[in-house]
Amino acid sequence: MNRSSFRTRIAGSPYLVWAALFILVPLGMVAYYSFTDQSGRFTLDNMARISDYTGPFLLSIWLGLLATVICLIIAYPLAYLIANSGEKRQRTMMLLMMLPMWMNFLLRTYSWMTILGDNGLINTLVTAIGLDPLKLINTRGAVVLGMVYDFLPYMVLPIYTIMLKIDRSLVEAAQDLGAGRLNVVKNVIFPLSVPGIVSGVTMVFVPSVSTFYISQKLGGTGTLLIGDIIEQQFQLGETSLHVGASLSFVLMILIFVCLTVMNRFSDSDGSVLV
Amino acid sequence: MKKLFALLLAVLVLALPLTLAAGAEGETAKDYSHLKGTTLNVYNWGEYISDGSEGSLDVNAEFEKRYGITVNYTNFESNENMYTKLKNGGANYDVIIPSDYMIARLAQQDMLEELDFSNIPNYKYILDKYKGLYYDAEQKFSVPYTVGMVGLIYNTKMVEGTPDSWNLMWDERYKGDILMFNNPRDAFGIAQCLLGQSVNTTDKAEWDAAAAKLAEQKPLVSSYVMDEVFNKMEGGEAAVAAYYAGDFLTMYDVNPDLAFVYPKEGVNFFVDAMCVPKGAQNKEAAELYINFMLEEDIAVANANYICYASPNKLVLESDDYDLKDDPILYPDESAMPKTQIFELLDEDTQLYMNEKWNEVKIESGNNTGVYIALAVVAALVVVFAVVKIVRGKKRKAMY
């Protein structure tokens, strides 16, 4: 017993070292910079200045939420469909799902610029059939589109995985008891797939809220997100760096709170079920 | 491919007698063979060196070939980016090419190495008027690379008439088709020229006025850009942009509908110069590189490729230099615009400018819709939570 736990510890040690070096130390540094000024003295000024950035904070959360909800609406039926098709078909569909992810994410976002641009692909088609060109790029819609496009696979994957694991006999039992298709999905499959949804939502919401590249490329001057501001703070130099750090710090706490709330509800859901 | 090869060959043949001649004069007798196998880290603006594309001479490869020193070449997007990276000690560089005011700042903060000009004999080719400028008055730290001015680029198919004022960038008619600089110094510079201020003012009220001017412009701006301006102007995605004159020539090659003007209110004149930052690991090679960049064939290749005005006599006298008489790069006396140079701002003003720039960028107009939507979502979450808890209690009570 002791020996095996020792072995586990050995096996886990590379990760522990990794976590300490690249997760804990940077976190500590972010915290340190958030609460100090240029000369290293403790200060709450940086935190006090965060209220200036309420607008971008709320906008980020709103756009992140929108992207997450749209991802969920698209991904859930898709994952269900994939999980319930034949093995060969499953493999092909997963491959198609993953294929875009093999391309660089910056590149994919960049290509949306040429698709949505004022003289881009879509507008060339639209004007060719005699309609007025559409205002597509530099809008909030374009930013949400970029988020959905870039992060959709992160929603599909965990839901698909969890659906594969659902015990078929539970579905059969429900059917034996007279549940229709809709009822099976509503009362058996959906509750059992909640953990997949939770991790999918996490994996889409977190990068969407903190993104800066997508909003810079696809959004105009009215879509400055909190990620953009943090990036800008770090580029402007020393004093701004501390404000940037405190913004990151607060963003982390906000995301943490959001996720805890969500996890709590999914947990209670699970316990009710079992 | 054949064409490229022929061109390279031609360049080599042309370069050969030159190097021989230089050798014969006995001025580059210094032996650099001990630097073979070392690495030189060069940090430069994007699109700012002849890189071998479109049949041009690959300057870095040429340097590697000649001296056996590996060039590790990286780009920055703005002076401020470069400064932050240097300051945070993120990486080691041997040669950097910042602009005038940034050189002054780096020098003031003791972040530059003094150059040994005996290792840079080609320095004598720099025109006298670009020597000992304010940012490096004692001429200790820098060797000019290019000079230039900022101006107004517009698409003749989208803009009516022939504009001559920065006011074009505040023109309601071009709402959503205006591209503005994405760095505080250049952006404020334009507003300040328009307001008739000095770009180096220390009067906070003047900075406030300039910031208000930028905020007024913001609803019209399509986006704040740096090098993305190339794609956008070339593709006709925007009607008006402020950018560096040399880059206009590059864009014009792709999109001949573009035109350029130096606005009458005045423009920024700048010098970008090569420096060696403190902590450079390979200073000797850095000086060799700086000297190499001033050689005729190399400097001409660069000047032809990046299209900025050159401070190098050899380039201006060379027959291979295509842009010698370009009226935009080298306007004659009568066409010379009013110019202002960016001087080093004191720390206080610098911070104030950054703060104001932040305010301009954050200002995002009316977000009421977003706030209402978020409030609704929050309310829904609370209702959901309450229902859940109540139900859970009921269930527990049942068992």
Side-chain angles (χ1 to χ4, degrees), chain A residues 209-228:
Chain A
V209 167
S210 52
T211 186
F212 63 92
Y213 190 79
I214 298 176
S215 52
Q216 262 170 28
K217 298 296 150 195
L218 303 178
T221 53
T223 53
L224 194 82
L225 300 186
I226 199 67
D228 297 305

Short mmCIF file of all heavy atoms in Angstrom, two decimals, chain A residues 209-228:
data_model
loop_
_atom_site.label_atom_id
_atom_site.label_comp_id
_atom_site.label_asym_id
_atom_site.label_seq_id
_atom_site.Cartn_x
_atom_site.Cartn_y
_atom_site.Cartn_z
N VAL A 209 -13.61 34.95 -22.60
CA VAL A 209 -13.60 36.15 -21.77
C VAL A 209 -12.25 36.85 -21.83
O VAL A 209 -12.16 38.06 -21.85
CB VAL A 209 -13.96 35.81 -20.31
CG1 VAL A 209 -13.64 36.97 -19.40
CG2 VAL A 209 -15.42 35.46 -20.21
N SER A 210 -11.18 36.06 -21.89
CA SER A 210 -9.86 36.69 -21.78
C SER A 210 -9.19 36.89 -23.13
O SER A 210 -8.05 37.31 -23.18
CB SER A 210 -8.97 35.85 -20.86
OG SER A 210 -8.98 34.52 -21.30
N THR A 211 -9.87 36.64 -24.23
CA THR A 211 -9.21 36.77 -25.53
C THR A 211 -8.87 38.22 -25.83
O THR A 211 -9.52 39.14 -25.37
CB THR A 211 -10.08 36.22 -26.67
OG1 THR A 211 -9.29 36.25 -27.86
CG2 THR A 211 -11.32 37.06 -26.89
N PHE A 212 -7.81 38.43 -26.60
CA PHE A 212 -7.57 39.78 -27.09
C PHE A 212 -7.33 39.77 -28.59
O PHE A 212 -7.63 40.71 -29.28
CB PHE A 212 -6.39 40.45 -26.37
CG PHE A 212 -5.07 39.77 -26.55
CD1 PHE A 212 -4.24 40.14 -27.57
CD2 PHE A 212 -4.68 38.77 -25.68
CE1 PHE A 212 -3.02 39.49 -27.73
CE2 PHE A 212 -3.46 38.14 -25.84
CZ PHE A 212 -2.63 38.50 -26.87
N TYR A 213 -6.83 38.65 -29.08
CA TYR A 213 -6.50 38.62 -30.50
C TYR A 213 -7.76 38.71 -31.36
O TYR A 213 -7.82 39.50 -32.30
CB TYR A 213 -5.74 37.32 -30.81
CG TYR A 213 -5.16 37.33 -32.18
CD1 TYR A 213 -3.98 38.02 -32.44
CD2 TYR A 213 -5.80 36.70 -33.23
CE1 TYR A 213 -3.46 38.07 -33.71
CE2 TYR A 213 -5.27 36.74 -34.51
CZ TYR A 213 -4.10 37.42 -34.74
OH TYR A 213 -3.59 37.48 -36.01
N ILE A 214 -8.77 37.93 -31.01
CA ILE A 214 -9.99 37.90 -31.81
C ILE A 214 -10.62 39.28 -31.87
O ILE A 214 -11.00 39.77 -32.94
CB ILE A 214 -10.98 36.88 -31.24
CG1 ILE A 214 -10.37 35.48 -31.29
CG2 ILE A 214 -12.29 36.91 -32.00
CD1 ILE A 214 -11.22 34.41 -30.66
N SER A 215 -10.73 39.94 -30.71
CA SER A 215 -11.39 41.24 -30.70
C SER A 215 -10.56 42.27 -31.45
O SER A 215 -11.10 43.20 -32.05
CB SER A 215 -11.64 41.69 -29.28
OG SER A 215 -10.46 41.62 -28.53
N GLN A 216 -9.23 42.12 -31.43
CA GLN A 216 -8.41 43.09 -32.14
C GLN A 216 -8.54 42.95 -33.65
O GLN A 216 -8.55 43.93 -34.38
CB GLN A 216 -6.94 42.90 -31.77
CG GLN A 216 -6.49 43.85 -30.71
CD GLN A 216 -5.13 43.48 -30.18
OE1 GLN A 216 -4.31 42.90 -30.88
NE2 GLN A 216 -4.89 43.82 -28.94
N LYS A 217 -8.65 41.71 -34.10
CA LYS A 217 -8.66 41.49 -35.54
C LYS A 217 -10.07 41.66 -36.11
O LYS A 217 -10.25 42.20 -37.18
CB LYS A 217 -8.15 40.09 -35.88
CG LYS A 217 -6.72 39.84 -35.48
CD LYS A 217 -5.77 40.75 -36.23
CE LYS A 217 -4.55 41.02 -35.35
NZ LYS A 217 -3.73 42.10 -35.77
N LEU A 218 -11.08 41.15 -35.41
CA LEU A 218 -12.42 41.14 -35.98
C LEU A 218 -13.29 42.27 -35.45
O LEU A 218 -14.29 42.62 -36.06
CB LEU A 218 -13.10 39.79 -35.71
CG LEU A 218 -12.35 38.57 -36.24
CD1 LEU A 218 -13.07 37.29 -35.89
CD2 LEU A 218 -12.18 38.67 -37.75
N GLY A 219 -12.93 42.81 -34.29
CA GLY A 219 -13.73 43.88 -33.71
C GLY A 219 -13.15 45.23 -34.10
O GLY A 219 -11.98 45.33 -34.46
N GLY A 220 -13.95 46.25 -34.03
CA GLY A 220 -13.44 47.58 -34.33
C GLY A 220 -13.03 48.29 -33.06
O GLY A 220 -12.57 47.67 -32.11
N THR A 221 -13.25 49.60 -33.05
CA THR A 221 -12.82 50.37 -31.89
C THR A 221 -13.81 50.23 -30.74
O THR A 221 -13.50 50.60 -29.62
CB THR A 221 -12.71 51.85 -32.26
OG1 THR A 221 -13.95 52.24 -32.86
CG2 THR A 221 -11.62 52.07 -33.24
N GLY A 222 -15.01 49.70 -31.00
CA GLY A 222 -16.01 49.61 -29.95
C GLY A 222 -16.04 48.26 -29.24
O GLY A 222 -16.93 47.99 -28.46
N THR A 223 -15.08 47.39 -29.54
CA THR A 223 -15.11 46.07 -28.93
C THR A 223 -13.85 45.80 -28.13
O THR A 223 -13.29 44.73 -28.17
CB THR A 223 -15.22 44.96 -29.99
OG1 THR A 223 -14.16 45.18 -30.92
CG2 THR A 223 -16.54 44.98 -30.68
N LEU A 224 -13.41 46.81 -27.41
CA LEU A 224 -12.22 46.63 -26.60
C LEU A 224 -12.56 45.72 -25.42
O LEU A 224 -13.37 46.08 -24.58
CB LEU A 224 -11.74 47.99 -26.10
CG LEU A 224 -10.35 47.99 -25.52
CD1 LEU A 224 -9.32 48.08 -26.63
CD2 LEU A 224 -10.18 49.16 -24.58
N LEU A 225 -11.96 44.55 -25.37
CA LEU A 225 -12.24 43.61 -24.28
C LEU A 225 -11.16 43.74 -23.21
O LEU A 225 -10.14 44.37 -23.42
CB LEU A 225 -12.28 42.18 -24.82
CG LEU A 225 -13.34 41.93 -25.89
CD1 LEU A 225 -13.39 40.46 -26.22
CD2 LEU A 225 -14.70 42.41 -25.44
N ILE A 226 -11.41 43.07 -22.10
CA ILE A 226 -10.48 43.19 -20.99
C ILE A 226 -9.11 42.64 -21.37
O ILE A 226 -8.08 43.15 -20.95
CB ILE A 226 -11.07 42.52 -19.72
CG1 ILE A 226 -10.36 43.04 -18.50
CG2 ILE A 226 -11.05 41.02 -19.78
CD1 ILE A 226 -10.63 44.49 -18.23
N GLY A 227 -9.11 41.61 -22.21
CA GLY A 227 -7.83 41.05 -22.68
C GLY A 227 -7.02 42.08 -23.44
O GLY A 227 -5.80 42.18 -23.29
N ASP A 228 -7.70 42.88 -24.27
CA ASP A 228 -7.00 43.94 -25.02
C ASP A 228 -6.35 44.92 -24.07
O ASP A 228 -5.24 45.38 -24.29
CB ASP A 228 -7.99 44.71 -25.90
CG ASP A 228 -8.62 43.83 -26.95
OD1 ASP A 228 -7.87 43.22 -27.70
OD2 ASP A 228 -9.86 43.76 -26.99
#
